[in-house]
Amino acid sequence: MADAQDPNCIFCKIIQGKIPSRKVYEDDDMFAFHDINPWAPVHFLLIPKSHIPSMAQVTEAHAALLGRMLVKVPQLALQEGVNPYPEGGFRLLTNTGAEGGQEVHHLHWHVMGGPRPWLRG
Ligand code: AMP
Ligand code: ZN
């Protein structure tokens, strides 16, 4: 079950419904929603409900949660319309820290797919 949330965090507010989003999936531990500025025909973000700032804060205690999230990625990608592997597929990406290109400091995994060309990536 999710623990701490950060009242100033935009993604915590999305989880709580205080900021609207186009939801892809939700359970006790994780939340997925469409990226507001998609790079690809399919582009959604998968986030833990607990406020982990980035991959840099991940510990052994998060291993089961992260494993459950990882298993969800291909299921949700197909659900959202990516073409099947190997002709289709998807990209899984996480930016970490300023030099890693991270802008929102609540751990999130970008899942991108669909026919090319894409806007970026
Ligand atoms: P990053 O650079 O990895 O931190 O990416 C943050 C991502 O969050 C960007 O792709 C943004 O388009 C996306 N984003 C920011 N605000 C929202 C929002 N309110 N709803 C959906 N996606 C958002
Ligand atoms: Zn947060």
Side-chain angles (χ1 to χ4, degrees):
M1 188 56 191
D3 45 41
Q5 303 216 309
D6 177 343
N8 300 314
C9 168
I10 180 175
F11 285 177
C12 284
K13 288 180 186 169
I14 284 178
I15 293 164
Q16 293 163 340
K18 291 178 178 163
I19 292 176
S21 70
R22 287 174 54 221
K23 184 160 86 175
V24 165
Y25 177 77
E26 178 175 16
D27 65 24
D28 283 351
D29 299 319
M30 65 190 94
F31 193 94
F33 55 103
H34 291 277
D35 197 295
I36 206 166
N37 191 12
W39 304 0
V42 174
H43 186 173
F44 63 88
L45 304 175
L46 179 61
I47 68 177
K49 283 192 169 175
S50 57
H51 180 84
I52 304 167
S54 80
M55 287 299 291
Q57 287 75 33
V58 161
T59 69
E60 278 296 326
H62 301 116
L65 166 66
L66 294 173
R68 284 195 293 277
M69 288 174 61
L70 206 46
V71 167
K72 273 287 164 208
V73 168
Q75 298 172 11
L76 296 178
L78 286 173
Q79 173 190 303
E80 293 309 308
V82 309
N83 292 312
Y85 176 92
E87 291 81 8
F90 55 86
R91 174 171 292 175
L92 174 62
L93 170 74
T94 183
N95 298 322
T96 304
E99 292 181 345
Q102 184 178 10
E103 291 178 357
V104 177
H105 290 265
H106 179 130
L107 174 63
H108 53 281
W109 292 349
H110 296 258
V111 183
M112 289 165 278
R116 287 179 179 271
W118 297 355
L119 212 58
R120 292 167 67 185

